[in-house]
Amino acid sequence: MLASATSTSALRRLGISLLPLLLSACASQQDTPPEGTGIANSLLRGELEDGHYRAADGSFSVDTPFRPGSDAYSQMHIGESFDISESQVQFTSSAAPIEVYRVHLFKGDLPADGELYRQATAQYFQLFEERYHTTLEPINLQDHRISGVSATSATFGQHIPQRSALGLSAEAVDIWHSYYYLERGDNAAFIWINRPQPDQAGASAGAEERIEAFIDSFELTSKALR
């Protein structure tokens, strides 16, 4: 069984890594793209070719949310963390403020009866509500077909007050959180996507279409990964 403490620790690490992005929406990037990637990014462990990403541990593949040839793609950053039981990959771009795509993979010996799903969503909600002292308000709940299996999906809105950290500051913004949870074989994926609500000054055009394409292209590996 995947222990509750293990899941808690991993989601805490995820929270530490993503919160500064809601201030700046851009991670530290190189001035010169590595040869063959076309993006301003640190060295990747995974494979990136023509806007298609495959995780280094083979746990999943997906089309990058920002497409080749665009400014957002050339300014994209991919953050990776791989472990024997869990992996995290995050896509951001300094050309699309506060638009963040995260994939959190749990590999092998999944808890039964939806326990992992409940842990992941509850801890993510707690993370954002405690950090910004505002609640996540439900917008919709529905099922999706992703990677050949049924996935639970929901979207929530949240007001993020004016904030500062790490020497950065940002104005208040209303954002949408969308999550997708799916299991396939011995593996599970918890995908969470943030973006400003469409009527916000910092919103980037085409975000909803990017999200749809990202989710439609996502492929979760079904075999056990050791």
Side-chain angles (χ1 to χ4, degrees):
M1 280 285 177
L2 198 72
S4 176
T6 300
S7 299
T8 301
S9 175
L11 286 170
R12 186 179 297 116
R13 292 196 304 271
L14 177 61
I16 292 170
S17 69
L18 70 89
L19 287 173
L21 290 169
L22 291 184
L23 289 168
S24 64
C26 57
S28 176
Q29 301 175 3
Q30 295 182 168
D31 293 332
T32 303
E35 185 177 355
T37 67
I39 65 173
N41 196 5
S42 56
L43 294 176
L44 294 176
R45 293 176 60 189
E47 299 176 6
L48 179 62
E49 184 176 356
D50 296 328
H52 188 74
Y53 174 86
R54 179 176 176 80
D57 60 4
S59 57
F60 76 95
S61 64
V62 69
D63 289 344
T64 58
F66 311 105
R67 304 307 299 150
S70 67
D71 288 341
Y73 185 83
S74 65
Q75 298 176 56
M76 182 172 62
H77 178 81
I78 302 174
E80 302 170 305
S81 175
F82 297 102
D83 202 338
I84 190 170
S85 62
E86 300 179 25
S87 297
Q88 298 174 42
V89 179
Q90 183 166 277
F91 302 85
T92 60
S93 174
S94 58
I98 318 178
E99 198 169 319
V100 183
Y101 299 73
R102 287 172 304 281
V103 180
H104 193 163
L105 270 295
F106 301 88
K107 299 173 280 189
D109 298 326
L110 303 179
D113 302 322
E115 180 60 25
L116 181 57
Y117 165 74
R118 288 190 289 271
Q119 288 178 17
T121 53
Q123 291 171 34
Y124 194 96
F125 275 53
Q126 181 181 7
L127 170 73
F128 271 87
E129 292 185 338
E130 288 185 352
R131 176 64 179 82
Y132 296 113
H133 307 290
T134 58
T135 58
L136 275 71
E137 303 293 341
I139 295 175
N140 64 52
L141 174 66
Q142 57 187 324
D143 290 333
H144 278 261
R145 193 79 178 169
I146 304 174
S147 191
V149 299
S150 179
T152 300
S153 170
T155 297
F156 290 78
Q158 185 183 23
H159 176 71
I160 305 296
Q162 187 177 22
R163 57 229 181 266
S164 61
L166 305 176
L168 301 170
S169 62
E171 297 299 320
V173 63
D174 294 318
I175 69 170
W176 281 348
H177 306 261
S178 292
Y179 74 74
Y180 306 80
Y181 179 87
L182 60 149
E183 296 183 1
R184 190 175 187 190
D186 295 320
N187 302 321
F190 181 60
I191 305 168
W192 200 291
I193 301 171
N194 290 341
R195 72 281 195 193
Q197 293 183 17
D199 60 349
Q200 299 292 295
S204 300
E208 301 309 306
E209 291 78 8
R210 283 191 290 275
I211 291 170
E212 183 177 355
F214 183 81
I215 292 301
D216 286 346
S217 70
F218 185 84
E219 292 290 338
L220 177 64
T221 301
S222 60
K223 65 181 180 181
L225 299 167
R226 302 298 182 187

